[in-house]
Amino acid sequence: MPSPAPDPLVRRLRDAGCVFAEDEARLLRGAAPSEAALEALTGRRIAGEPLEYVLGWAEFRGRRLAVAPGVFVPRRRTELLAREAVRVAHAGDVVLDLCCGVGAVATVLAADVPGIELHAADLDPAATACARRNLPPTAAVHTGDLYAALPGSLRGRIDVLAANAPYVPTERIALMPPEARLHEEHAALDGGADGLELQRRIAREGRDWLAPGGVVLFETSEQQAPATAAILVEAGLRPRSVRSERLDATVVLGRRRGGTGRKPSRQQVA
């Protein structure tokens, strides 16, 4: 029997450099209500726009999260940060997803740790608009520069602070894939000269916001992990690193001293 004719949409996507052309063709067809709409979506993708912007959503830990052009698209490696935040959070805790983007980590916390007081904050108003769509109405979403975005009532009360702050060194942004460096907000990528400027601010300024026994969790790179741990030590926190080879992800946690009666750690939620 003759071979089936090649799918013209798959061929167009592959010619444009889309590695997973078959999967993308299926998703684009599923998102388009008509042939005209499919052609419009395909044109955007072939022009180099990230697939998540074209679809209007990104998948994160089995959930579809609303995204908008220009916002930081959740990466799969950040699943480790979400998992570790779930591991240390408990019912009754005040939990903050700082530099939340579209609220990827916060959505996992909301689903997996019932009974927390959940907050999410980001500098980018487009990102926090998406976070409000992705998070339950019980979560509070704030827009502003780190702790300046938060209500003063949280000072000294945060039990778990998860932060996927930008950690790409400025000079390395030019080496990132074009879908990131040409489409995502520069501020969502740029971590300063060594990539750790935002981590330093979060750790230093966070002393007044953490509760006794509170935990800070940073997503970072494997190479930067020792420097991230040193930042936490300088802020008076006891660091610990977690690595996932499967996700190619690294998280460094730091716990504030002085906690009494903290509840035992939750079992791992995979």
Side-chain angles (χ1 to χ4, degrees):
M1 295 180 60
S3 301
D7 184 332
L9 177 55
V10 171
R11 185 177 64 250
R12 290 174 67 192
L13 292 168
R14 187 175 289 121
D15 289 347
C18 300
V19 177
F20 303 105
E22 291 84 357
D23 292 336
E24 293 197 12
R26 175 178 52 81
L27 291 169
L28 290 170
R29 285 193 170 106
S34 66
E35 284 300 318
L38 177 60
E39 182 59 32
L41 296 180
T42 302
R44 291 170 60 188
R45 181 61 182 133
I46 288 174
E49 191 171 350
L51 178 66
E52 293 83 1
Y53 294 168
V54 176
L55 297 174
W57 56 267
E59 183 174 337
F60 185 79
R61 213 161 185 258
R63 298 172 175 84
R64 286 189 176 186
L65 304 182
V67 299
V71 303
F72 182 80
V73 176
R75 273 51 162 181
R76 187 163 178 260
R77 71 173 68 93
T78 304
E79 291 181 9
L80 180 63
L81 178 63
R83 189 190 76 188
E84 292 303 313
V86 166
R87 192 198 298 271
V88 298
H90 306 80
D93 281 351
V94 176
V95 181
L96 172 64
D97 180 3
L98 191 58
C99 303
C100 69
V102 301
V105 172
T107 60
V108 177
L109 284 158
D112 290 358
V113 194
I116 59 174
E117 180 184 334
L118 181 60
H119 296 261
D122 198 280
L123 180 65
D124 181 6
T128 52
C130 291
R132 290 187 180 94
R133 295 172 59 190
N134 293 324
L135 289 168
T138 52
V141 181
H142 314 279
T143 304
D145 183 23
L146 299 183
Y147 301 102
L150 304 179
S153 60
L154 290 184
R155 192 178 295 272
R157 295 182 54 234
I158 298 173
D159 298 293
V160 178
L161 190 163
N164 184 15
Y167 56 92
V168 179
T170 303
E171 66 179 13
R172 295 192 63 82
I173 291 177
L175 304 178
M176 295 184 71
E179 289 185 348
R181 59 183 169 81
L182 298 180
H183 292 275
E184 292 177 326
E185 284 290 332
H186 187 85
L189 306 173
D190 190 354
D194 65 352
L196 303 178
E197 288 185 8
L198 267 294
Q199 291 185 9
R200 290 188 184 91
R201 282 190 58 198
I202 291 168
R204 182 177 63 250
E205 299 171 20
R207 297 168 183 168
D208 294 335
W209 294 87
L210 280 183
V215 181
V216 174
L217 304 94
F218 284 132
E219 178 175 309
T220 193
S221 71
E222 185 175 17
Q223 295 74 24
Q224 292 166 308
T228 297
I231 288 169
L232 292 172
V233 169
E234 187 176 350
L237 307 177
R238 292 174 292 177
R240 177 173 63 87
S241 295
V242 180
R243 173 73 183 165
S244 170
E245 295 299 335
R246 179 177 64 86
L247 296 172
D248 187 23
T250 303
V251 169
V252 179
L253 307 82
R255 185 178 294 277
R256 181 180 177 184
R257 295 173 174 82
T260 57
R262 283 287 292 177
K263 298 173 279 293
S265 297
R266 293 170 53 88
Q267 294 297 315
Q268 176 178 348
V269 177

